[in-house]
Amino acid sequence: MSEKDNLFYEEIEAKLEYMKQHPIEEEKDTISSKLNKTFSISLGLVIIFGLLITLLGLLR
């Protein structure tokens, strides 16, 4: 192996050792992610509420 390949493998092994010693950090939700989730839930509730009103109107 050449010196360049040896340096590459040493760098990879160093990164692997670092990953073994440090726990994985969880990513925090971004504002856009929270907003998207809130919008999706509220839209779903509006659709369900509209279907219930329509169903009750048809039963009368």
Side-chain angles (χ1 to χ4, degrees), residues 24-56:
I24 298 174
E25 297 176 2
E26 293 184 16
E27 294 181 10
K28 295 182 179 179
D29 288 338
T30 59
I31 294 174
S32 62
S33 175
K34 290 179 183 178
L35 189 63
N36 186 23
K37 188 184 297 184
T38 304
F39 178 74
S40 297
I41 290 172
S42 62
L43 182 63
L45 290 174
V46 166
I47 290 172
I48 290 173
F49 186 68
L51 287 173
L52 286 174
I53 290 175
T54 305
L55 182 62
L56 290 175

